[in-house]
Amino acid sequence: MRIPAHSVCTAIRADIVSGALPRGGRLAEEQLARRYGVSRVPVREALRTLESEGFVTSRRHVGAFVAEPTEQEAADLLDMRALLEPLGAARAAQRRTDAHLKVLRGLVRLGQERARRGQGEDLVSLDGWFHETLAQACASPGLTALLTQLRHKIAWMYAVEQPERPAEVWAEHGAIADAVARGDAERARALTERHAERWRGVHRLRRAERVRAAQHSVNTVGARN
């Protein structure tokens, strides 16, 4: 597979999240360069970025490896999302554009229709797009980047089960979109906080045997090959 050099980071992150590059696996620059059809330079730069994001760790005199988060670190991801998504929704109510609102309402319509027809196979993707659009609508590059990184990590660590009552999920999405449309920041914040807490239970750790109870010592800021 040959990809543009500037997309190497995105490609490696996607392969980590999907499990194609398993937790704890060695990330040899030469092998990755061949895998993506690029030189070692963009691979090295990508690994540094992914290390700063927590997807990669470096071991002194050994090299780079896919990170192996602990169970506590995995749980912390959901806690962080529960704190940051309501803030993002409040900002979105204050700063969203008409384009953002059009997309949010379109996703709500699709989600409600799919839920009503029992077409659950599309709902996880639609849910992700809804929250991604909400994050974009907050018009805060730093907050959007944090929320995007959290979504990637949660997708890496957790499988999302289909809720027993998907129509309720999309009714809540609709209420959030309505609050954003009205510019009601406090209601958008409160609804998103309640939504995140209510549906936290649908997340299940992926391959729990690979999520370690304790993390071995690594050097995350030291020399990189």
Side-chain angles (χ1 to χ4, degrees):
M1 178 178 71
R2 180 173 293 277
I3 63 172
H6 68 271
S7 300
V8 173
C9 185
T10 299
I12 297 176
R13 186 193 296 109
D15 280 345
I16 290 174
V17 170
S18 72
L21 296 173
R23 296 173 206 164
R26 175 75 182 275
L27 295 170
E29 290 180 8
E30 185 174 350
Q31 292 177 358
L32 292 174
R34 288 199 300 269
R35 179 185 182 94
Y36 303 113
V38 296
S39 72
R40 293 177 64 175
V41 173
V43 169
R44 187 176 301 120
E45 293 173 353
L47 293 179
R48 289 172 180 166
T49 297
L50 293 169
E51 184 172 359
S52 72
E53 294 179 357
F55 290 99
V56 171
T57 60
S58 291
R59 304 178 193 174
R60 189 182 294 276
H61 307 309
V62 179
F65 295 78
V66 178
E68 297 179 88
T70 66
E71 290 184 12
Q72 184 59 63
E73 288 168 337
D76 286 347
L77 296 175
L78 298 180
D79 289 337
M80 287 187 284
R81 188 179 70 171
L83 291 171
L84 291 177
E85 277 197 341
L87 174 61
R91 293 288 184 269
Q94 297 167 329
R95 303 172 181 175
R96 56 84 179 167
T97 65
D98 289 342
H100 290 132
L101 186 57
K102 182 177 181 180
V103 173
L104 286 172
R105 284 179 161 163
L107 289 169
V108 169
R109 283 194 298 272
L110 281 173
Q112 291 177 339
E113 178 185 333
R114 299 291 195 277
R116 191 164 50 247
R117 294 182 178 179
Q119 297 174 315
E121 63 276 5
D122 295 334
L123 292 179
V124 172
S125 295
L126 289 171
D127 180 86
W129 293 336
F130 177 87
H131 287 285
E132 180 177 346
T133 303
L134 198 61
Q136 293 291 335
C138 77
S140 170
L143 181 56
T144 299
L146 285 173
L147 288 169
T148 299
Q149 189 179 128
L150 276 173
R151 281 197 305 277
H152 288 314
K153 286 187 176 180
I154 289 170
W156 177 35
M157 294 302 304
Y158 289 94
V160 179
E161 298 178 350
Q162 187 61 244
E164 293 182 3
R165 301 179 300 278
E168 294 183 16
V169 175
W170 285 94
E172 293 176 12
H173 285 165
I176 292 168
D178 287 344
V180 169
R182 291 196 303 270
D184 190 339
E186 287 310 309
R187 180 164 175 76
R189 182 198 299 270
L191 288 172
T192 304
E193 184 175 5
R194 191 180 312 151
H195 178 75
E197 184 59 33
R198 185 177 183 190
W199 301 106
R200 178 172 179 147
V202 302
H203 293 79
R204 294 289 180 265
L205 278 174
R206 293 183 186 275
R207 299 170 63 183
E209 70 278 3
R210 296 297 303 275
V211 181
R212 296 170 301 111
Q215 194 167 12
H216 53 67
S217 176
V218 297
N219 172 30
T220 59
V221 296
R224 300 179 178 89
N225 289 354

